[in-house]
PDB file of all heavy atoms in Angstrom:
ATOM      1  N   ALA A  46      -9.492  18.159  -6.716  1.00 98.00           N
ATOM      2  CA  ALA A  46      -8.735  18.067  -7.954  1.00 98.00           C
ATOM      3  C   ALA A  46      -8.011  16.743  -8.027  1.00 98.00           C
ATOM      4  O   ALA A  46      -7.718  16.119  -7.011  1.00 98.00           O
ATOM      5  CB  ALA A  46      -7.722  19.213  -8.072  1.00 98.00           C
ATOM      6  N   ALA A  47      -7.738  16.312  -9.243  1.00 97.00           N
ATOM      7  CA  ALA A  47      -7.034  15.047  -9.439  1.00 97.00           C
ATOM      8  C   ALA A  47      -6.110  15.156 -10.629  1.00 97.00           C
ATOM      9  O   ALA A  47      -6.318  15.979 -11.528  1.00 97.00           O
ATOM     10  CB  ALA A  47      -8.037  13.906  -9.650  1.00 97.00           C
ATOM     11  N   ILE A  48      -5.105  14.312 -10.638  1.00 97.00           N
ATOM     12  CA  ILE A  48      -4.130  14.291 -11.719  1.00 97.00           C
ATOM     13  C   ILE A  48      -3.600  12.915 -11.934  1.00 97.00           C
ATOM     14  O   ILE A  48      -3.428  12.137 -10.981  1.00 97.00           O
ATOM     15  CB  ILE A  48      -2.979  15.298 -11.416  1.00 97.00           C
ATOM     16  CG1 ILE A  48      -2.059  15.447 -12.619  1.00 97.00           C
ATOM     17  CG2 ILE A  48      -2.195  14.844 -10.188  1.00 97.00           C
ATOM     18  CD1 ILE A  48      -1.075  16.590 -12.487  1.00 97.00           C
ATOM     19  N   THR A  49      -3.355  12.555 -13.163  1.00 96.00           N
ATOM     20  CA  THR A  49      -2.777  11.252 -13.455  1.00 96.00           C
ATOM     21  C   THR A  49      -1.268  11.337 -13.270  1.00 96.00           C
ATOM     22  O   THR A  49      -0.618  12.247 -13.739  1.00 96.00           O
ATOM     23  CB  THR A  49      -3.085  10.782 -14.893  1.00 96.00           C
ATOM     24  OG1 THR A  49      -2.763  11.827 -15.822  1.00 96.00           O
ATOM     25  CG2 THR A  49      -4.544  10.429 -15.040  1.00 96.00           C
ATOM     26  N   MET A  50      -0.756  10.373 -12.553  1.00 95.00           N
ATOM     27  CA  MET A  50       0.683  10.349 -12.294  1.00 95.00           C
ATOM     28  C   MET A  50       1.460   9.692 -13.439  1.00 95.00           C
ATOM     29  O   MET A  50       2.621   9.992 -13.666  1.00 95.00           O
ATOM     30  CB  MET A  50       0.969   9.591 -10.994  1.00 95.00           C
ATOM     31  CG  MET A  50       0.340  10.201  -9.749  1.00 95.00           C
ATOM     32  SD  MET A  50       0.873  11.904  -9.448  1.00 95.00           S
ATOM     33  CE  MET A  50       2.571  11.638  -8.905  1.00 95.00           C
ATOM     34  N   SER A  51       0.784   8.809 -14.114  1.00 86.00           N
ATOM     35  CA  SER A  51       1.353   8.156 -15.287  1.00 86.00           C
ATOM     36  C   SER A  51       0.427   8.395 -16.446  1.00 86.00           C
ATOM     37  O   SER A  51      -0.685   8.877 -16.284  1.00 86.00           O
ATOM     38  CB  SER A  51       1.518   6.655 -15.024  1.00 86.00           C
ATOM     39  OG  SER A  51       0.288   6.040 -14.701  1.00 86.00           O
ATOM     40  N   ALA A  52       0.883   8.015 -17.644  1.00 79.00           N
ATOM     41  CA  ALA A  52       0.066   8.193 -18.832  1.00 79.00           C
ATOM     42  C   ALA A  52      -0.361   9.644 -19.015  1.00 79.00           C
ATOM     43  O   ALA A  52      -1.531   9.955 -19.218  1.00 79.00           O
ATOM     44  CB  ALA A  52      -1.169   7.295 -18.766  1.00 79.00           C
ATOM     45  N   GLY A  53       0.619  10.511 -18.915  1.00 87.00           N
ATOM     46  CA  GLY A  53       0.338  11.939 -19.087  1.00 87.00           C
ATOM     47  C   GLY A  53       0.086  12.669 -17.804  1.00 87.00           C
ATOM     48  O   GLY A  53       0.445  12.185 -16.707  1.00 87.00           O
ATOM     49  N   ASN A  54      -0.529  13.789 -17.921  1.00 89.00           N
ATOM     50  CA  ASN A  54      -0.818  14.621 -16.752  1.00 89.00           C
ATOM     51  C   ASN A  54      -2.219  15.219 -16.838  1.00 89.00           C
ATOM     52  O   ASN A  54      -2.394  16.416 -16.684  1.00 89.00           O
ATOM     53  CB  ASN A  54       0.234  15.723 -16.604  1.00 89.00           C
ATOM     54  CG  ASN A  54       0.264  16.680 -17.775  1.00 89.00           C
ATOM     55  OD1 ASN A  54      -0.202  16.365 -18.854  1.00 89.00           O
ATOM     56  ND2 ASN A  54       0.843  17.852 -17.560  1.00 89.00           N
ATOM     57  N   ASN A  55      -3.174  14.356 -17.080  1.00 95.00           N
ATOM     58  CA  ASN A  55      -4.551  14.778 -17.161  1.00 95.00           C
ATOM     59  C   ASN A  55      -5.017  15.285 -15.811  1.00 95.00           C
ATOM     60  O   ASN A  55      -4.691  14.707 -14.770  1.00 95.00           O
ATOM     61  CB  ASN A  55      -5.452  13.659 -17.631  1.00 95.00           C
ATOM     62  CG  ASN A  55      -5.087  13.148 -19.003  1.00 95.00           C
ATOM     63  OD1 ASN A  55      -4.882  13.946 -19.916  1.00 95.00           O
ATOM     64  ND2 ASN A  55      -4.998  11.840 -19.147  1.00 95.00           N
ATOM     65  N   THR A  56      -5.786  16.359 -15.831  1.00 97.00           N
ATOM     66  CA  THR A  56      -6.259  16.942 -14.573  1.00 97.00           C
ATOM     67  C   THR A  56      -7.770  17.142 -14.617  1.00 97.00           C
ATOM     68  O   THR A  56      -8.371  17.253 -15.676  1.00 97.00           O
ATOM     69  CB  THR A  56      -5.616  18.291 -14.276  1.00 97.00           C
ATOM     70  OG1 THR A  56      -5.884  19.196 -15.362  1.00 97.00           O
ATOM     71  CG2 THR A  56      -4.129  18.145 -14.146  1.00 97.00           C
ATOM     72  N   VAL A  57      -8.361  17.184 -13.434  1.00 97.00           N
ATOM     73  CA  VAL A  57      -9.786  17.440 -13.316  1.00 97.00           C
ATOM     74  C   VAL A  57      -9.983  18.237 -12.051  1.00 97.00           C
ATOM     75  O   VAL A  57      -9.312  17.992 -11.045  1.00 97.00           O
ATOM     76  CB  VAL A  57     -10.617  16.136 -13.290  1.00 97.00           C
ATOM     77  CG1 VAL A  57     -10.217  15.253 -12.101  1.00 97.00           C
ATOM     78  CG2 VAL A  57     -12.096  16.439 -13.271  1.00 97.00           C
ATOM     79  N   TYR A  58     -10.872  19.208 -12.111  1.00 98.00           N
ATOM     80  CA  TYR A  58     -11.133  20.072 -10.979  1.00 98.00           C
ATOM     81  C   TYR A  58     -12.606  20.132 -10.647  1.00 98.00           C
ATOM     82  O   TYR A  58     -13.464  20.076 -11.540  1.00 98.00           O
ATOM     83  CB  TYR A  58     -10.646  21.499 -11.270  1.00 98.00           C
ATOM     84  CG  TYR A  58      -9.160  21.639 -11.450  1.00 98.00           C
ATOM     85  CD1 TYR A  58      -8.602  21.529 -12.732  1.00 98.00           C
ATOM     86  CD2 TYR A  58      -8.330  21.912 -10.389  1.00 98.00           C
ATOM     87  CE1 TYR A  58      -7.245  21.653 -12.919  1.00 98.00           C
ATOM     88  CE2 TYR A  58      -6.975  22.059 -10.575  1.00 98.00           C
ATOM     89  CZ  TYR A  58      -6.421  21.938 -11.821  1.00 98.00           C
ATOM     90  OH  TYR A  58      -5.063  22.085 -12.002  1.00 98.00           O
ATOM     91  N   ALA A  59     -12.888  20.326  -9.386  1.00 98.00           N
ATOM     92  CA  ALA A  59     -14.252  20.577  -8.987  1.00 98.00           C
ATOM     93  C   ALA A  59     -14.646  21.952  -9.504  1.00 98.00           C
ATOM     94  O   ALA A  59     -13.807  22.864  -9.568  1.00 98.00           O
ATOM     95  CB  ALA A  59     -14.388  20.539  -7.468  1.00 98.00           C
ATOM     96  N   ASP A  60     -15.894  22.110  -9.865  1.00 98.00           N
ATOM     97  CA  ASP A  60     -16.351  23.407 -10.367  1.00 98.00           C
ATOM     98  C   ASP A  60     -16.078  24.549  -9.410  1.00 98.00           C
ATOM     99  O   ASP A  60     -15.779  25.671  -9.803  1.00 98.00           O
ATOM    100  CB  ASP A  60     -17.848  23.351 -10.688  1.00 98.00           C
ATOM    101  CG  ASP A  60     -18.134  22.513 -11.916  1.00 98.00           C
ATOM    102  OD1 ASP A  60     -17.255  22.297 -12.733  1.00 98.00           O
ATOM    103  OD2 ASP A  60     -19.326  22.082 -12.052  1.00 98.00           O
ATOM    104  N   SER A  61     -16.156  24.252  -8.150  1.00 97.00           N
ATOM    105  CA  SER A  61     -15.982  25.272  -7.114  1.00 97.00           C
ATOM    106  C   SER A  61     -14.572  25.839  -7.029  1.00 97.00           C
ATOM    107  O   SER A  61     -14.377  26.910  -6.453  1.00 97.00           O
ATOM    108  CB  SER A  61     -16.387  24.710  -5.741  1.00 97.00           C
ATOM    109  OG  SER A  61     -15.592  23.599  -5.401  1.00 97.00           O
ATOM    110  N   VAL A  62     -13.580  25.135  -7.601  1.00 98.00           N
ATOM    111  CA  VAL A  62     -12.223  25.617  -7.507  1.00 98.00           C
ATOM    112  C   VAL A  62     -11.585  25.884  -8.842  1.00 98.00           C
ATOM    113  O   VAL A  62     -10.425  26.349  -8.898  1.00 98.00           O
ATOM    114  CB  VAL A  62     -11.340  24.618  -6.731  1.00 98.00           C
ATOM    115  CG1 VAL A  62     -11.934  24.327  -5.358  1.00 98.00           C
ATOM    116  CG2 VAL A  62     -11.148  23.335  -7.528  1.00 98.00           C
ATOM    117  N   LYS A  63     -12.292  25.647  -9.923  1.00 98.00           N
ATOM    118  CA  LYS A  63     -11.752  25.904 -11.256  1.00 98.00           C
ATOM    119  C   LYS A  63     -11.325  27.352 -11.404  1.00 98.00           C
ATOM    120  O   LYS A  63     -12.055  28.269 -11.036  1.00 98.00           O
ATOM    121  CB  LYS A  63     -12.785  25.547 -12.321  1.00 98.00           C
ATOM    122  CG  LYS A  63     -12.984  24.063 -12.531  1.00 98.00           C
ATOM    123  CD  LYS A  63     -13.984  23.785 -13.626  1.00 98.00           C
ATOM    124  CE  LYS A  63     -14.167  22.309 -13.874  1.00 98.00           C
ATOM    125  NZ  LYS A  63     -15.184  22.023 -14.897  1.00 98.00           N
ATOM    126  N   GLY A  64     -10.140  27.522 -11.956  1.00 98.00           N
ATOM    127  CA  GLY A  64      -9.619  28.865 -12.161  1.00 98.00           C
ATOM    128  C   GLY A  64      -8.904  29.421 -10.956  1.00 98.00           C
ATOM    129  O   GLY A  64      -8.249  30.475 -11.054  1.00 98.00           O
ATOM    130  N   ARG A  65      -8.996  28.741  -9.821  1.00 98.00           N
ATOM    131  CA  ARG A  65      -8.348  29.215  -8.597  1.00 98.00           C
ATOM    132  C   ARG A  65      -7.305  28.245  -8.074  1.00 98.00           C
ATOM    133  O   ARG A  65      -6.288  28.676  -7.507  1.00 98.00           O
ATOM    134  CB  ARG A  65      -9.391  29.471  -7.517  1.00 98.00           C
ATOM    135  CG  ARG A  65     -10.400  30.557  -7.886  1.00 98.00           C
ATOM    136  CD  ARG A  65     -11.282  30.926  -6.710  1.00 98.00           C
ATOM    137  NE  ARG A  65     -12.101  29.777  -6.283  1.00 98.00           N
ATOM    138  CZ  ARG A  65     -11.975  29.178  -5.099  1.00 98.00           C
ATOM    139  NH1 ARG A  65     -11.084  29.603  -4.209  1.00 98.00           N
ATOM    140  NH2 ARG A  65     -12.766  28.163  -4.786  1.00 98.00           N
TER     141      ARG A  65
END
Side-chain angles (χ1 to χ4, degrees):
I48 188 169
T49 50
M50 299 301 289
S51 59
N54 61 341
N55 299 313
T56 59
V57 61
Y58 296 90
D60 288 339
S61 60
V62 305
K63 286 182 179 178
R65 298 188 297 114

